[in-house]
Amino acid sequence: MLAILLAHALAALAAPAAVRVMGRNAFYPLALVPLASLVWVMAGWNETQQVSYAWAPTIDLSLQLRFDSLATVMSALVLGIGALVLAYCARYFTDDEPKLGSFAAWLVAFAGAMFGLVTSDNMLLLFIFWEITTVLSFLLVGHNSDSAAGRRAALQALLVTGAGGLAMLVGIVVLGQSYGSYLLSDLLAAPEVPDGIAVQVALVLVLVGALSKSAIVPLHFWLPGAMAAPTPVSAYLHAAAMVKAGVYLIARLAPAFADEPVWRPLILTLGLASMLLAGLRAMQVTDLKLLLAFGTVSQLGFLVMMVGLGTPDAALAGIGLLVAHALFKACLFLVVGIIDHGAGTRDIGELSGLGRRAPVLLATSVLAALSMAGIPPLWGFVAKESALAAELAADPPLSGTGKWLLLAGVVLGSMLTVAYSARFVWGAFADKRAIRVPDWHAPGPAFIAAPALLALGSLGAGLAAPWMDGLLAPYAATLPGELTAHLQLWHGLNLPLLLSVVVVAGGALLFVRRDRFGESATLLGNADRGYDAALRAMDRLSLRMTGSVQRGSLPLTQAVILGTLVILPAVVLAVGTRTGVELRLWDRPMQLVIGAIMIAMALGATVLRNRLASVLAVGLTGYGCGVIFALHGAPDLALTQFLVETLTLVVFVLVLRAFPAEIGPEQQAGFQIGRAAIAIAAGITVPVLAAFATAARSTEPIWERIPAAAYEFGGGKNAVNVLLVDMRAWDTLGEISVLVVAATGVASLVFRSRRFGLPPRAADAPNYRPGKVSWLPAGRLVDRRERSMVLQITTRLVFPTIMVLSVYFFFSGHNAPGGGFAGGLIAGLALVLRYLAGGQYELGEALPVDAGRLLGAGLILAAGTATVSLLLGAPPLYSVIVEATVPLLGHIKLVTSLFFDLGVYLIVVGLVLDVLRSLGARLDDELVQS
């Protein structure tokens, strides 16, 4: 299973390059990946297999996959239809299709993500794959980014299914905590469901996620809108794969939760509403893809009813319907793509006579439509008749009036299915006298092969119904109760057969009276307008909230933040315990002296009129904090504090060049008691909270274990650095990701037009004269009035030393003070020195590298360490220690977290380069122009 996931990931990475080399024909070798995976699935059909890989063993988080009967069926559909759709793409697209390589990568990745979803045993892992499919769906639906309809459909699908996924995540967490396990196998094996309202609420939240993914009323409207996607996307995601994820989750949980009070009322009511309302809309629309889309919503409602009913017979019928729907609906979507290509339209009102001109395509469509309508001997008939029989036999859980109302609704919904199946074939292929026959480009054999195979699959499965029963029955047997039904083509003369006759006759009558349906909107159509109204309401609410708390006043914003910091902890402390607090003002007199200096500098910064003096005063408070760190035996923290404070001062100075040196009388604010009160209260709150937090400890402090753990697990003696690059590497990865995003945002605001680019070099300067010799390559380009020969000579001498020191701190950081962050800051300060001595052109001479590339390379290197750790047999971002004896160098000890630290180093250097280019060189240009 892991090999299949890895194969799809590698194929997705290779897809863009393959498309560049082979053009659209690259889809053929890409299709071999899911096809080969399908062979593995078929070889191990209904064999239960499990894979467990420790991801974060200290918190019992593991990558656990489980391959059982239900996962087998879903995997076969995902991989088999995925291979056919990829092969279909090779003839659907042209070589000049924009972003075709990216499209191929996303489609292959989607197949792998769906396989991961249906084989995940850990619910948290399932959620990760669930959201990956959501993001990939957004990218695939929005493939044509130039289309406003495509962009809107992609965003709508992302918002609806993403919101449902977040609700599902809350439900997963509650279920996991209630059961004491996040494994689906443990939930299904539990003897009983835990009591309490929490589990019921969690079930509702999980069902919200499942129903939104499967486009069930009232969260259905995103699916018809997603028809703006290319046809292969509609055939795969919206017929065979993504929309089946919700059905799969309901089927997976039904054995354990079908008897819970919230389960059947929610699923059966919404499922029946979807089946009827969407079936009605399918009789109204004239676009063939929209007709199939509303038909998909209708049949998804039927599917969730059957798999959620909770009896073995209904489960067998439901899984049979799932297979039938994937075969005939994927086939019909692919047929629509061929019609759209060949005729240039897919509107029923513009198509005529295609049946005579494309007999093979007509035969393919008829087979699939017969299966969709439930006509023998197609597989759709076998599954639908079994569904009717399962509902009749479902007593309990269904009984009385509710049972017959549900059965009547299903019969009426099935009539609509017959009607719009006939309407599809008639609309696409019939001769219509009033309509001009469109130009037609006949499809080649390779183009029609995929839908033809799917249509033949529907016929073959119906004829081999007993064999299919043997493949699908093992899942149905997992539900409580006795499995009495069997999937077969002929059950004799019985009530389900009579109902099937009624369905076909009623559907034929509805098709004959199809003009009576009209184009009027229904409740289903209004849901899309409701979505727009909800977005507008949220926009208005956000504007009002932002207008009330974000008025553009920095003092007001700070007052709200600091006020919250003061008030909330004060209230909590007032009602909570206040015992055991000890406060020691100082350990040695030097701390008192430094503290007094820091207080004096902080007060001085509030009254100084010179901006530079204020900045220096604030900087001294930071240096004082670093000295206190050093006095407490934390040289690593002290070093970092000094470096950060120095770099911060440089940034302030760069920005202050655009401001007057003194604060003018009109900008001065007198003493304000409110601001002073907030400042004093915030200053008191922080140490008070620290004192209470320290007093709250009831067990051994974790810091006592960190030094030993750092050396044992991380292979380093510097506990601070090992924490950052090993024990807390995930936190650090998140922090540097935020840092990269912030740097990109700030620089984008400054540059406005173009975000990245190589820094200009001396030869790019307008006053550059080749052949001139100076201490720095761009030194002579600095105006004589601002040029300092002493600074240039000093920079020339100390710059190499500083860079060597930077590299030293980088390599020594694992066992001594330093590390990637400190080394990067030192390298950044060296760049600052070159910039101050030689200007913006000297910066290009010092490091002629795009800052964006440095940031990206650092982030990729840090994140890539997770993969390297996996390949070396360790959990992601855990250190792997490699020791060897190398000639000349002797005994070498290499820790893989060094590469993570290198990523941090590059990000810090890239950030400094960005700051110097945006707040330095860019500001230089602005000042010169002004």
Side-chain angles (χ1 to χ4, degrees):
M1 286 182 279
L2 284 176
I4 291 177
L5 292 175
L6 183 60
H8 280 80
L10 294 176
L13 292 174
V19 170
R20 280 195 298 270
V21 174
M22 302 176 61
R24 62 177 183 169
N25 291 325
F27 282 98
Y28 288 129
L30 291 175
L32 295 177
V33 177
L35 183 62
S37 304
L38 177 64
V39 173
W40 180 87
V41 170
M42 300 299 292
W45 194 277
N46 286 332
E47 293 181 7
T48 300
Q49 302 180 43
Q50 289 182 301
V51 172
S52 181
Y53 187 86
W55 181 270
T58 53
I59 58 174
D60 298 325
L61 184 60
S62 301
L63 189 155
Q64 293 189 312
L65 303 175
R66 191 168 188 267
F67 192 74
D68 58 7
S69 54
L70 180 58
T72 302
V73 176
M74 288 296 302
S75 298
L77 294 178
V78 167
L79 298 172
I81 297 180
L84 290 175
V85 170
L86 283 168
Y88 175 89
C89 288
R91 303 275 68 86
Y92 178 84
F93 292 107
T94 59
D95 287 331
D96 58 355
E97 175 73 19
K99 300 182 294 185
L100 188 59
S102 299
F103 179 89
W106 298 332
L107 199 59
V108 174
F110 183 88
M114 275 299 302
F115 178 80
L117 188 155
V118 300
T119 56
S120 295
D121 193 25
N122 189 304
M123 291 189 291
L124 295 176
L125 181 64
L126 181 147
F127 172 77
I128 292 173
F129 283 118
W130 187 282
E131 291 305 292
I132 290 175
T133 62
T134 296
V135 173
L136 291 173
S137 169
F138 168 77
L139 295 172
L140 289 166
V141 172
H143 169 66
N144 185 10
S145 57
D146 294 334
S147 167
R151 294 194 302 271
R152 183 184 188 279
L155 182 60
Q156 187 180 69
L158 178 68
L159 290 177
V160 175
T161 58
L166 291 177
M168 186 181 77
L169 176 60
V170 177
I172 286 174
V173 171
V174 175
L175 285 178
Q177 294 301 112
S178 300
Y179 277 86
S181 172
Y182 283 88
L183 299 184
L184 286 167
S185 54
D186 289 345
L187 268 64
L188 298 177
E192 60 183 12
V193 178
D195 294 330
I197 189 65
V199 173
Q200 303 302 315
V201 173
L203 277 179
V204 172
L205 293 174
V206 171
L207 288 177
V208 167
L211 297 176
S212 68
K213 199 79 160 181
S214 290
I216 300 300
V217 170
L219 301 174
H220 60 280
F221 49 87
W222 68 266
L223 182 57
M227 293 303 106
T231 297
V233 175
S234 302
Y236 191 32
L237 276 67
H238 306 137
M242 176 178 167
V243 293
K244 296 296 195 304
V247 178
Y248 160 78
L249 187 58
I250 293 173
R252 175 63 76 190
L253 297 177
F257 299 108
D259 291 328
E260 294 305 302
V262 300
W263 184 271
R264 289 192 183 92
L266 186 63
I267 289 178
L268 297 182
T269 302
L270 296 181
L272 184 59
S274 300
M275 188 177 186
L276 294 175
L277 293 175
L280 179 60
R281 282 294 283 150
M283 294 298 295
Q284 295 175 325
V285 296
T286 60
D287 186 300
L288 289 176
K289 275 186 77 173
L290 276 181
L291 188 155
L292 294 178
F294 283 112
T296 298
V297 174
S298 176
Q299 285 150 350
L300 287 171
F302 193 14
L303 278 171
V304 299
M305 281 193 291
M306 297 313 301
V307 299
L309 190 55
T311 66
D313 291 354
L316 180 59
I319 202 71
L321 282 171
L322 187 147
V323 174
H325 181 264
L327 293 174
F328 64 67
K329 192 56 65 72
C331 170
L332 291 175
F333 270 117
L334 296 180
V335 166
V336 171
I338 295 174
I339 293 174
D340 199 5
H341 261 242
T345 181
R346 55 176 190 251
D347 192 291
I348 288 176
E350 300 175 5
L351 292 170
S352 177
L354 292 189
R356 290 181 288 102
R357 307 175 72 180
V360 176
L361 193 63
L362 171 62
T364 299
S365 302
V366 168
L367 281 177
L370 288 175
S371 183
M372 183 163 65
I375 307 297
L378 280 301
W379 178 247
F381 166 76
V382 176
K384 186 188 69 177
E385 190 177 52
S386 298
L388 295 172
E391 289 189 15
L392 287 169
D395 189 6
L398 298 179
S399 61
T401 306
K403 172 181 177 180
W404 295 107
L405 286 175
L406 182 66
L407 185 62
V410 170
V411 169
L412 180 57
S414 299
M415 290 180 182
L416 289 169
T417 303
V418 173
Y420 64 69
S421 299
R423 186 168 180 257
F424 176 88
V425 177
W426 169 83
F429 297 99
D431 289 312
K432 309 182 186 79
R433 294 180 181 177
I435 300 175
R436 183 182 66 86
V437 177
D439 294 333
W440 174 250
H441 303 288
F447 200 8
I448 203 173
L453 287 174
L454 290 168
L456 291 174
S458 293
L459 177 61
L463 296 176
W467 178 72
M468 292 291 293
D469 179 76
L471 296 179
L472 304 181
Y475 162 70
T478 62
L479 276 83
E482 183 181 357
L483 177 62
T484 59
H486 295 283
L487 296 171
Q488 54 190 49
L489 193 58
W490 175 252
H491 288 277
L493 297 175
N494 51 21
L495 183 55
L497 181 62
L498 176 61
L499 291 176
S500 295
V501 174
V502 172
V503 164
V504 174
L509 180 61
L510 290 176
F511 171 71
V512 171
R513 307 295 296 271
R514 60 188 177 277
D515 294 337
R516 298 293 183 91
F517 287 91
E519 283 288 342
S520 59
T522 65
L523 290 175
L524 199 78
N526 291 333
D528 196 53
R529 294 197 292 272
Y531 162 82
D532 292 333
L535 287 186
R536 288 194 298 270
M538 287 189 287
D539 284 339
R540 289 194 297 269
L541 178 61
S542 64
L543 287 174
R544 290 177 181 176
M545 291 182 63
T546 304
S548 61
V549 298
Q550 298 283 344
R551 299 181 180 178
S553 171
L554 183 59
L556 176 62
T557 302
Q558 289 180 322
V560 172
I561 295 173
L562 295 176
T564 304
L565 172 67
V566 172
I567 294 172
L568 288 183
V571 172
V572 174
L573 290 177
V575 299
T577 178
R578 294 179 296 279
T579 59
V581 177
E582 295 182 4
L583 189 61
R584 229 172 29 250
L585 295 180
W586 60 80
D587 291 321
R588 59 187 73 175
M590 182 59 70
Q591 294 173 347
L592 176 61
V593 174
I594 296 171
I597 295 174
M598 293 171 65
I599 294 172
M601 291 299 102
L603 293 174
T606 63
V607 298
L608 289 171
R609 294 179 56 187
N610 185 278
R611 287 188 168 91
L612 180 58
S614 299
V615 169
L616 292 176
V618 173
L620 285 175
T621 63
Y623 286 120
C625 184
V627 174
I628 290 178
F629 285 151
L631 292 176
H632 273 275
D636 214 315
L637 294 179
L639 173 65
T640 304
Q641 178 69 27
F642 289 142
L643 294 173
V644 169
E645 201 62 49
T646 303
L647 192 59
T648 304
L649 282 175
V650 172
V651 173
F652 270 115
V653 171
L654 292 176
V655 175
L656 287 180
R657 293 178 300 160
F659 291 86
E662 301 286 336
I663 300 176
E666 70 282 357
Q667 296 172 320
Q668 293 185 25
F671 179 75
Q672 296 187 13
I673 186 65
R675 296 185 184 181
I678 292 177
I680 294 172
I684 294 174
T685 299
V686 172
V688 169
L689 286 178
F692 275 97
T694 304
R697 287 177 176 157
S698 58
T699 58
E700 177 189 1
I702 192 173
W703 64 262
E704 295 183 3
R705 302 182 181 181
I706 287 178
Y711 191 77
E712 179 180 355
F713 299 110
K717 298 178 181 178
N718 183 354
V720 174
N721 187 259
V722 174
L723 273 174
L724 292 175
V725 300
D726 187 297
M727 299 180 184
R728 287 182 58 250
W730 284 109
D731 292 344
T732 305
L733 182 62
E735 291 162 1
I736 60 177
S737 301
V738 172
L739 190 63
V740 171
V741 171
T744 302
V746 171
S748 298
L749 290 174
V750 173
F751 280 94
R752 294 193 296 274
S753 58
R754 184 179 179 188
R755 166 62 182 82
F756 294 126
L758 294 175
R761 305 187 66 172
D764 301 324
N767 58 340
Y768 174 72
R769 295 180 181 178
K772 294 289 185 179
V773 180
S774 64
W775 285 96
L776 296 176
R780 288 187 175 274
L781 300 177
V782 180
D783 189 272
R784 290 180 178 275
R785 293 168 297 179
E786 300 178 3
R787 187 187 309 168
S788 171
M789 293 304 298
V790 174
L791 181 58
Q792 290 192 8
I793 295 172
T794 304
T795 301
R796 175 66 178 268
L797 294 175
V798 303
F799 178 80
T801 305
I802 297 177
M803 291 305 299
V804 170
L805 182 65
S806 167
V807 174
Y808 167 78
F809 272 115
F810 165 70
F811 280 106
S812 68
H814 215 58
N815 295 292
F821 191 70
L825 288 174
I826 294 173
L829 289 174
L831 292 176
V832 169
L833 188 59
R834 289 285 291 266
Y835 169 73
L836 293 177
Q840 59 173 313
Y841 298 106
E842 185 62 32
L843 189 62
E845 297 292 337
L847 190 61
V849 179
D850 187 340
R853 294 185 183 275
L854 274 180
L855 291 170
L859 189 59
I860 291 173
L861 190 59
T865 308
T867 305
V868 174
S869 299
L870 281 173
L871 296 177
L872 294 177
L877 292 180
Y878 273 55
S879 293
V880 176
I881 302 174
V882 180
E883 296 189 61
T885 300
V886 180
L888 299 179
L889 297 179
H891 185 72
I892 298 296
K893 179 180 179 182
L894 177 65
V895 183
T896 56
S897 59
L898 177 71
F899 300 101
F900 183 92
D901 219 10
L902 180 59
V904 176
Y905 181 95
L906 293 178
I907 287 175
V908 173
V909 174
L911 175 64
V912 174
L913 185 61
D914 237 353
V915 169
L916 292 176
R917 289 201 57 208
S918 55
L919 301 182
R922 181 69 176 188
L923 193 55
D924 286 341
D925 295 338
E926 298 285 348
L927 292 175
V928 170
Q929 293 172 7
S930 62

